[in-house]
Amino acid sequence: MSVLVYTENWDGKFKKLSYELVSYAKTVAALAGGDVTALSIGSVDQDELSTLGNYGASLVLSADAAPSGLDNQVYTSIIAAAMEKCGARILVLAHNNTGKALAPRLSVKLKAGLAAAVIAVPESAGPLVVNKKVYSGKAFAKVEILTDKAILTLSQNSFEICETGGTATVEAFDPDVDVAAAATSIQDVQKQEGKLLLSDADVVISGGRGMKSPDNWAPIEELATLLEGATACSRPVSDEGWRPHSEHTGQTGKIIAPNLYMAFGISGAIQHLAGVSSSKCIVAVNTDKDAPIFEAADYGIVGDALKVLPELISEIRAARAQ
Amino acid sequence: MRILVCISNVPDTTTKVKFSTDLTSFDDSGVQWIINPWDELALTRAMELKEDASNPVSGVSVVSVGSALVEPTLRKTLAIGADDAIRVDANSSDAHYVAAQLAAVAANGDYGAILCGIESSDYNGSAVGGMISEILGIPSVSAVSGLKFAGDKVVLSRDIDGGKEEVSVPAPFVAVVQKGIAREPRIAAMRGIMMARKKPLQVVPAVEAETFTAYKSFAMPEPKAPCRMVDADNVKELVHLLQNEAKVL
């Protein structure tokens, strides 16, 4: 049972996420008994495409022609055509904005059961049963796919990237899809340049109301820069307009799973914890010793975030200088 | 143009999640049910668009799939300002089955825009909006955080990796919305609650539809080890632990 994995590129380059997806697809294919084909849509260099072989893809289909933006109908048609071409019965996408936009349409088009936000390799391939997050990460569920084909969207940072040393054949893919027929049209693009995206970050430094004012965010940003991480915030902070909504982590904001999540002045409402509890290590600094964040944290300091932050920055610099 | 807002009835977001003893179903004893937070924001934006006379919005309908237990949530949407509500009389946790019911309702009305929250806070499938659009064969735009009318076009803002895009889309379309589409959900005023009692809430039977998935069992995360507390005067110790014990620095 072959597996097709849709690998997104940004400006012609694959991100870590794509390698995680191909590594995952390789393990799924091993379980199901088949090969991995990776599909890339848009212009990507041959050398870049062939790197996918190192993570388990044996064939890379490169569909150069694509609309200028993500048109869900056109992309769905291209991916469905790729499924048919390689005879795959399992499709893997990322559980990000793109995956969430395409997977449901593909589910209907291919008559393939969709398990979204999966966190592990299926425990069986026939029938396909897989573990996923439910209740915004407060619990897990085993979902059985009842259809012949299956679509899985993988929660980010759920699977280790594995380098196989393999090579992939890269093949141009020109499906019979009218790219010019895109119903949606891009009017304007505003790119946030030079800043690490929250969803890509291994380290996330987050602030809550305990930071007292948006004017006090400099040490949060300094620590994030020092640790090559991204900045985040709790819901009241984004609702107050102290920080942009794109930084809100929690049940109704971004759900993240970095290696290190540091929460400063965040009490840890249940909705906030639902969005960050999958982080591998959580550090909390809060003046209230009974704050719920300490129940979710691995390491904690009862103290004023505004005093602890500069000391922490200084100690990390000192430790790194040794 | 009429707008159809799809509503999911979900446990309150502060609910401590519990399951039946055999772990095959959600234990809903003592649970308070609410409008799915993203659907609530979609409804809020739909109301704002209708109330601004410069927009070509003639009415806002809401629809939900579920038993009579969903009706208090639908009444709440009417109290917030929706003109009418439709309940599809069916029970299912499978996204495709639910999407097929919603698509059938959408196909029976003259809706120019169908709004859905990006996910439900219970099953987190992020599936229903996209499925409706594929079943109906109409465009969809996901991760939408802005919706406005510009002349004869509808312009949606959507989040992309590292930025935002403005996308124009012809009607009818499905917008799968997220945070930012409206600032604050609305609270129903007493007048709205009184008026909601007189607004139409139609119950329609389910259509035939396939189920693609089945939930077999549920599990809670492993309990965490207690938090290791470090003295506020000893930040150096925290750095040491993060470097040498957790190995994350």
Side-chain angles (χ1 to χ4, degrees), chain B residues 2-39:
Chain B
R2 287 192 68 81
I3 299 177
L4 180 66
V5 183
C6 302
I7 299 289
S8 186
N9 188 42
V10 297
D12 185 285
T13 53
T14 58
T15 300
K16 291 226 166 180
V17 173
K18 304 183 298 271
F19 298 104
S20 59
T21 44
D22 65 356
L23 296 173
T24 57
S25 61
F26 177 69
D27 177 358
D28 62 3
S29 55
V31 167
Q32 184 170 355
W33 297 88
I34 61 165
I35 307 172
N36 180 42
W38 292 277
D39 302 345

Side-chain angles (χ1 to χ4, degrees), chain A residues 8 10 69-73 76 95-98 100-101 104-105 107-109 111-114 116-117 129 132-147 183-192 197 199 203 227 235 238-241 245 248 251-255 259-260 262 270-271 279 281-283 294-303 308 311-312 315-316 319-320, chain B residues 11-17 19 26 37-38 96 118-135 137-143 153 155 158-170 178-180 182-185 210-222 224-236 238-239 241-243 245-246 248-249:
Chain A
E8 289 170 67
W10 289 264
L70 175 69
D71 181 274
N72 291 341
Q73 285 170 297
T76 296
H95 192 66
N96 61 1
N97 281 340
T98 308
K100 288 179 193 178
R105 293 201 76 124
S107 172
V108 172
K109 198 174 185 79
K111 279 194 146 210
L114 165 62
V129 176
K132 74 173 289 267
K133 287 184 191 179
V134 286
Y135 297 97
S136 305
K138 286 187 260 184
F140 305 107
K142 279 183 186 166
V143 182
E144 181 178 337
I145 304 291
L146 305 174
T147 48
T184 56
S185 129
I186 307 296
Q187 306 290 301
D188 186 38
V189 181
Q190 295 163 15
K191 281 202 173 173
Q192 187 186 342
L197 296 177
S199 52
V203 175
L227 298 178
R235 177 176 175 160
S238 66
D239 282 354
E240 288 293 325
H245 284 300
H248 165 205
Q251 187 160 17
T252 53
K254 288 207 165 59
I255 293 175
N259 282 327
L260 174 60
M262 299 182 101
I270 191 166
Q271 296 97 331
S279 307
C281 177
I282 298 177
V283 176
F294 291 122
E295 286 168 34
D298 299 281
Y299 301 97
I301 288 180
V302 178
V308 171
E311 284 181 46
L312 187 58
E315 290 294 348
I316 292 172
R320 289 195 166 177
Chain B
D12 185 285
T13 53
T14 58
T15 300
K16 291 226 166 180
V17 173
F19 298 104
F26 177 69
W38 292 277
H96 179 261
I118 195 162
E119 61 186 272
S120 66
S121 58
D122 48 8
Y123 291 102
N124 304 112
S126 308
V128 168
M131 287 181 171
I132 293 171
S133 54
E134 185 66 27
I135 293 168
I138 60 176
S140 60
V141 179
S142 193
K153 284 192 296 193
V155 177
R158 71 169 166 203
D159 284 7
I160 55 168
D161 286 292
K164 273 186 183 297
E165 274 177 355
E166 291 211 329
V167 183
S168 74
V169 61
Q178 62 172 24
K179 207 170 173 230
R183 189 163 160 75
E184 287 276 343
E210 282 179 87
T211 299
F212 284 1
T213 56
Y215 281 79
K216 306 301 286 179
S217 64
F218 296 89
M220 297 300 291
E222 294 287 319
K224 279 199 88 149
C227 180
R228 184 155 174 175
M229 301 308 291
V230 176
D231 196 281
D233 295 326
N234 195 3
V235 175
K236 193 174 186 171
L238 176 64
V239 174
L241 288 168
L242 294 177
Q243 273 191 318
E245 189 177 86
V248 287
L249 276 189

Side-chain angles (χ1 to χ4, degrees), chain B residues 66-196:
Chain B
S67 69
L69 293 172
V70 174
E71 292 194 6
T73 293
L74 283 177
R75 286 282 171 209
K76 192 177 167 195
T77 66
L78 295 172
I80 288 170
D83 298 302
D84 63 282
I86 302 154
R87 174 171 73 81
V88 181
D89 192 18
N91 270 322
S92 175
S93 59
D94 174 57
H96 179 261
Y97 182 86
V98 170
Q101 305 308 323
L102 296 170
V105 168
N108 281 332
D110 185 21
Y111 302 106
I114 301 162
L115 308 188
C116 303
I118 195 162
E119 61 186 272
S120 66
S121 58
D122 48 8
Y123 291 102
N124 304 112
S126 308
V128 168
M131 287 181 171
I132 293 171
S133 54
E134 185 66 27
I135 293 168
L136 295 175
I138 60 176
S140 60
V141 179
S142 193
V144 170
S145 57
L147 195 166
K148 62 187 180 192
F149 290 89
D152 58 349
K153 284 192 296 193
V154 180
V155 177
L156 308 176
S157 307
R158 71 169 166 203
D159 284 7
I160 55 168
D161 286 292
K164 273 186 183 297
E165 274 177 355
E166 291 211 329
V167 183
S168 74
V169 61
F173 64 91
V174 174
V176 181
V177 312
Q178 62 172 24
K179 207 170 173 230
I181 184 83
R183 189 163 160 75
E184 287 276 343
R186 292 190 175 186
I187 295 165
M190 184 51 74
R191 185 162 178 273
I193 295 167
M194 300 302 286
M195 286 174 69

Side-chain angles (χ1 to χ4, degrees), chain A residues 54-232:
Chain A
N54 187 30
Y55 302 92
S58 48
L59 174 66
V60 178
L61 297 177
S62 173
D64 246 3
S68 59
L70 175 69
D71 181 274
N72 291 341
Q73 285 170 297
V74 171
Y75 272 65
T76 296
S77 295
I78 296 172
I79 297 172
M83 282 289 279
E84 194 176 348
K85 179 175 169 66
C86 66
R89 283 169 55 198
I90 300 174
L91 171 64
V92 174
L93 301 102
H95 192 66
N96 61 1
N97 281 340
T98 308
K100 288 179 193 178
L102 299 176
R105 293 201 76 124
L106 284 155
S107 172
V108 172
K109 198 174 185 79
L110 300 168
K111 279 194 146 210
L114 165 62
V118 303
I119 51 165
V121 172
E123 63 177 37
S124 67
L128 199 140
V129 176
V130 65
N131 216 5
K132 74 173 289 267
K133 287 184 191 179
V134 286
Y135 297 97
S136 305
K138 286 187 260 184
F140 305 107
K142 279 183 186 166
V143 182
E144 181 178 337
I145 304 291
L146 305 174
T147 48
D148 190 40
K149 289 182 185 141
I151 300 176
L152 310 176
T153 63
L154 179 67
S155 297
Q156 207 160 346
N157 286 336
S158 295
F159 198 77
E160 291 278 322
I161 292 172
C162 312
E163 294 193 44
T164 62
T167 53
T169 306
V170 178
E171 197 178 301
F173 180 52
D174 186 18
D176 185 19
V177 174
D178 184 3
V179 170
T184 56
S185 129
I186 307 296
Q187 306 290 301
D188 186 38
V189 181
Q190 295 163 15
K191 281 202 173 173
Q192 187 186 342
E193 300 290 352
K195 208 174 165 194
L196 183 64
L197 296 177
L198 191 49
S199 52
D200 291 341
D202 284 332
V203 175
V204 174
I205 312 298
S206 189
R209 264 195 300 215
M211 294 300 293
K212 294 179 184 144
S213 156
D215 301 333
N216 292 335
W217 238 259
I220 294 268
E221 291 186 330
E222 188 181 349
L223 183 55
T225 305
L226 179 63
L227 298 178
E228 296 174 359
T231 53

